[in-house]
Amino acid sequence: MSDSIIDTTKMSEGQRAALELAESSRDTRELSGFAASIFDGAPDFSTIFPFPVQPEDDRKKGNVFLQKLRTFLSGKTDPDAIDREGEIPDSVFEGLAEMGAFGIKIPQKYGGLGLSQTNYSRAAMVLGGHCGNLTALLSAHQSIGLPQPLLVFGTDAQKEKYLPQCAKGGVSAFALTEKEVGSDPARMKTEAVLSEDGTHYTLSGEKLWCTNSLKAFALIVMARTATPEKPRATTAFIVEMNQPGVEIVTRCHFMGLKALYNGVVRFTDVKVPVENVVGDVGKGLKVALTTLNTGRITLPAACVGLLDRSLEMALAWSSTRVQWGQEIGKHAAIAGKLADLAADKFATESLVLYTSALVDADKNADIRMEAAMAKLWGTEAGWKGADSTMQIKGGRGYETADSLRNRGETPDPIERLLRDCRINTIFEGSTEIMHLFIAREALDPHLRRGAAVLDSRKDFAIRAQTAISAGFFYSLWYPKKYLPTTSGLPNDLDTELARALRKVSSLSRKLARTILHSMARYGSALEKKQLLLARLVDIATELLTISLSASRAYALGDKESLETARYIARRGITRCKTLFSENGKAPDGAGYRLAQSLMGK
Ligand SMILES: Cc1cc2nc3c(=O)[nH]c(=O)nc-3n(C[C@H](O)[C@H](O)[C@H](O)COP(=O)(O)OP(=O)(O)OC[C@H]3O[C@@H](n4cnc5c(N)ncnc54)[C@H](O)[C@@H]3O)c2cc1C
């Protein structure tokens, strides 16, 4: 029997395999932190007030690098040319390597800059508003390529061997996806078999869409290392690209990110020494998921840059373009988009800076929820922001920067930025998978207490015992979810924000009650109610976003930040009310049946 907390006996073989693998790779620590407390209906604002301020010496160190990066990007790179030609010039690789951009977080003893997570996120913000291709190059290398997993799981020997090369500009990559393996790693075919003498693994298989692989000197590769006891075990390996048997089959091309060095990589009987196993044998997916926990902050950070640049272009155009007798920014339809852009930028930045600060305060901090929520919210906001900037710019938004330049107009690159950012809601955990991931974590405390009651695999006595102790727990927990208390708000908080955060508290209690009601109503079938779960996750994410934006605005104290945070709060609370009102009323079931009948199922 699987040790999964969830009863999988009524699932199909494929569903069971996917779920059991996901369960066995989960971080099993009990959730903590502000995001988790929102789901529990007990947000303690003292954990986010005061908003964590980057220490001055850390900020100064970051500023030195960011200044170099900005100067280099604006003087020595042409993102439109990179997009047009689909290539990043060697001089750009060299310039970035020289300033240390390939080793931002790698400790100085391995030749890196040794900068903090906050400074790394700030660098992603600078890159994200400038060039998607360079953002993807540096992020795939550092956030999911060799540096991040080695910093967390690598042995000293692995760090000494590979990190200096990474820091110097040796590009790395991460290979998990296969033709049959997108969001579901249980279908993985790439396999590594241990040699009889135990010195190496023989790796065979094919990986799809491996970003940076065409330029990489080494990859982190996920492969099956099945044993009779653990038939679905996966392991993470460092694989050097110059090894015999490693081959790039083809370069892949996309709607945007035209200069992504992304390819299909084939491994034919590649000998990988056992020293190249990263983390424990059989725990590859755990390495991947843990890497992604921190790695995931980079995408929303890049979206902050994207939103900042979009807002700049949108404001410039809205305040000068006159149609129907006034600047278009004075038409309410456009003004609403400008407000949303500013709000989304501020909110995403608040999510990213808060989560980065958690990592800087404690490298082992549990940021599962915060990072996933930042990824979910920030990448959706980035895409919507680019889309509305294109709308604000009208026909010029749809025109390429080159064409605008040829006609003597300001070459705003929103057409390129929009193409480049579309992928952000798909990779490193799609929006749908983020909803499921966050929902699973949110339900965990309840599942720990009560899942055994519904688990048909368990003895009656165990189920009855669980029911009694869960019943006792909930008899104390449940009434508290009706008590109108709010804790941890500073006394001198702006009146409107204080009122908004009291509302956040009450919506959080309603969320906790709704989660419990839904579990009681649907039991193990709740897992199938994806649209309901997504709404609950979206409510929690809005509440997190409102709270962090308010806390940051309070710390900054300026009029514009406070006004922006008030707008974020009003908009977010309205959204939450709408989402709550859809529960039980939205035609989820009818939609599901329609889709099945359209598919002939
Ligand atoms: C430009 C680009 C760069 C990439 N770089 C890398 C890389 O460097 N390394 C790497 O390993 N991979 C990389 N990928 C792969 C990327 O991570 C995957 O595309 C992503 O994981 C989704 O997998 P998929 O495309 O196969 O979609 P699928 O998993 O087939 O999903 C298709 C759709 O179904 C949804 N879906 C899937 N399962 C569920 C479910 N259980 N419930 C609800 N909805 C579901 C998804 O959200 C998605 O909308 C890259 C992809 C692209 C396009």
Side-chain angles (χ1 to χ4, degrees):
M1 188 174 86
S2 108
D3 51 5
S4 162
I5 198 170
I6 296 169
D7 182 0
T8 53
T9 48
K10 296 191 186 82
M11 295 179 178
S12 71
E13 177 53 31
Q15 284 173 321
R16 185 181 318 130
L19 198 125
E20 287 181 357
L21 183 59
E23 283 295 304
S24 65
S25 313
R26 275 188 63 243
D27 184 340
T28 50
R29 280 179 291 177
E30 254 183 67
L31 276 177
S32 56
F34 187 73
S37 74
I38 288 178
F39 282 105
D40 191 42
D44 177 4
F45 291 103
S46 68
T47 54
I48 60 162
F49 280 91
F51 193 84
V53 178
Q54 185 178 19
E56 199 44 35
D57 59 330
D58 191 52
R59 187 168 181 80
K60 278 190 186 146
K61 274 192 226 157
N63 287 350
V64 174
F65 170 68
L66 292 180
Q67 193 47 46
K68 279 189 205 161
L69 181 65
R70 279 196 200 96
T71 310
F72 178 79
L73 291 178
S74 60
K76 301 278 165 77
T77 66
D78 179 348
D80 293 321
I82 290 175
D83 175 64
R84 190 188 320 121
E85 282 150 30
E87 299 290 342
I88 298 171
D90 288 347
S91 60
V92 173
F93 275 97
E94 287 154 17
L96 289 171
E98 214 167 284
M99 76 176 76
F102 286 88
I104 300 175
K105 282 198 305 174
I106 295 177
Q108 287 175 340
K109 68 172 175 174
Y110 299 118
L113 298 180
L115 294 181
S116 61
Q117 178 64 40
T118 301
N119 284 327
Y120 179 61
S121 297
R122 291 172 71 205
M125 292 177 193
V126 171
L127 285 156
H130 183 71
C131 176
N133 289 293
L134 295 181
T135 311
L137 165 75
L138 294 174
S139 150
H141 163 65
Q142 293 175 86
S143 300
I144 55 176
L146 259 60
Q148 184 66 28
L150 289 198
L151 286 174
V152 181
F153 293 98
T155 61
D156 287 345
Q158 288 170 343
K159 289 181 192 165
E160 271 154 31
K161 182 166 177 193
Y162 292 106
L163 290 181
Q165 208 168 337
C166 290
K168 260 192 280 173
V171 177
S172 69
F174 171 82
L176 167 67
T177 304
E178 300 177 7
K179 266 193 186 157
E180 300 294 325
V181 179
S183 312
D184 174 7
R187 302 171 74 98
M188 191 178 295
K189 296 241 166 48
T190 298
E191 196 176 21
V193 179
L194 187 61
S195 62
E196 280 186 6
D197 63 3
T199 59
H200 66 271
Y201 283 84
T202 303
L203 178 74
S204 299
E206 201 168 277
K207 293 290 182 182
L208 179 62
W209 296 328
C210 182
T211 299
N212 285 354
S213 56
L214 279 84
K215 294 281 177 185
F217 79 97
L219 317 176
I220 295 284
V221 179
M222 296 295 150
R224 284 183 57 207
T225 46
T227 58
E229 307 78 55
K230 301 228 157 161
R232 292 195 199 94
T234 59
T235 300
F237 296 93
I238 304 166
V239 179
E240 297 186 19
M241 291 299 281
N242 62 9
Q243 283 270 97
V246 182
E247 169 196 3
I248 301 280
V249 180
T250 183
R251 180 175 176 179
C252 305
H253 297 278
F254 304 97
M255 162 187 175
L257 300 180
K258 297 288 184 190
L260 206 62
Y261 292 104
N262 178 297
V264 174
V265 191
R266 184 177 297 153
F267 307 98
T268 315
D269 297 334
V270 180
K271 283 191 175 162
V272 184
V274 287
E275 297 81 56
N276 283 20
V277 169
V278 183
D280 293 333
V281 173
K283 295 283 177 201
L285 206 58
K286 188 157 203 150
V287 172
L289 292 180
T290 310
T291 298
L292 275 175
N293 272 344
T294 314
R296 253 183 210 131
I297 309 172
T298 321
L299 285 183
C303 288
V304 175
L306 165 73
L307 286 161
D308 190 40
R309 182 84 187 274
S310 299
L311 179 62
E312 188 186 274
M313 292 186 283
L315 283 174
W317 186 243
S318 302
S319 53
T320 51
R321 174 72 170 172
V322 175
Q323 291 288 283
W324 296 70
Q326 58 185 354
E327 291 87 356
I328 57 167
K330 291 200 173 150
H331 297 300
I334 299 298
K337 292 189 206 312
L338 293 174
D340 281 339
L341 270 170
D344 288 347
K345 183 206 139 191
F346 190 87
T348 309
E349 196 167 20
S350 305
L351 287 164
V352 168
L353 291 177
Y354 178 73
T355 313
S356 303
L358 292 180
V359 177
D360 288 333
D362 173 7
K363 293 274 168 283
N364 297 316
D366 182 2
I367 56 158
R368 263 174 293 176
M369 287 294 230
E370 283 78 3
M373 288 159 108
K375 192 313 176 165
L376 170 68
W377 206 90
T379 57
E380 287 289 341
W383 164 244
K384 278 182 229 131
D387 184 42
S388 63
T389 304
M390 179 173 278
Q391 194 70 17
I392 291 169
K393 293 239 33 181
R396 286 166 182 81
Y398 193 63
E399 191 172 6
T400 65
D402 283 344
S403 173
L404 287 162
R405 198 179 288 109
N406 288 342
R407 298 197 295 106
E409 291 218 28
T410 311
D412 279 345
I414 192 61
E415 176 271 342
R416 165 172 62 80
L417 293 172
L418 179 122
R419 276 188 286 113
D420 286 354
C421 80
R422 182 60 186 87
I423 186 62
N424 292 339
T425 62
I426 297 173
F427 61 13
E428 294 189 22
S430 66
T431 287
E432 292 76 14
I433 297 299
M434 286 295 92
H435 277 138
L436 295 183
F437 175 88
I438 297 165
R440 169 65 187 89
E441 298 308 334
L443 295 182
D444 192 59
H446 299 294
L447 290 173
R448 280 175 196 255
R449 279 176 219 119
V453 181
L454 302 168
D455 193 339
S456 56
R457 302 167 300 177
K458 298 236 166 17
D459 287 347
F460 175 75
I462 295 177
R463 293 168 69 182
Q465 179 58 47
T466 311
I468 292 165
S469 55
F472 178 69
F473 174 86
Y474 285 109
S475 68
L476 299 176
W477 181 90
Y478 191 70
K480 285 195 211 143
K481 302 308 152 196
Y482 285 93
L483 288 180
T485 52
T486 302
S487 64
L489 290 184
N491 294 331
D492 58 343
L493 182 61
D494 171 83
T495 327
E496 189 177 334
L497 286 180
R499 200 181 321 121
L501 294 187
R502 280 194 290 276
K503 189 71 194 164
V504 165
S505 264
S506 103
L507 290 170
S508 155
R509 286 190 295 275
K510 183 169 179 180
L511 176 67
R513 296 194 303 265
T514 310
I515 290 173
L516 192 71
H517 297 163
S518 307
M519 289 184 84
R521 176 165 179 201
Y522 298 112
S524 55
L526 182 59
E527 179 252 339
K528 293 204 174 69
K529 304 276 173 203
Q530 291 194 346
L531 298 181
L532 165 66
L533 290 174
R535 275 183 221 114
L536 300 179
V537 168
D538 285 342
I539 289 167
T541 310
E542 283 295 338
L543 298 180
L544 177 70
T545 304
I546 296 168
S547 307
L548 292 178
S549 301
S551 168
R552 182 155 159 260
Y554 172 72
L556 293 168
D558 62 288
K559 185 168 166 279
E560 190 182 302
S561 301
L562 287 165
E563 215 174 325
T564 309
R566 283 186 212 118
Y567 179 73
I568 292 168
R570 283 186 180 203
R571 188 185 67 168
I573 289 169
T574 309
R575 283 180 182 168
C576 289
K577 287 181 181 166
T578 307
L579 288 163
F580 272 124
S581 74
E582 284 175 3
N583 279 344
K585 289 195 196 117
D588 298 353
Y592 189 81
R593 287 189 293 280
L594 173 62
Q596 303 316 301
S597 99
L598 291 171
M599 290 193 297
K601 302 280 172 191

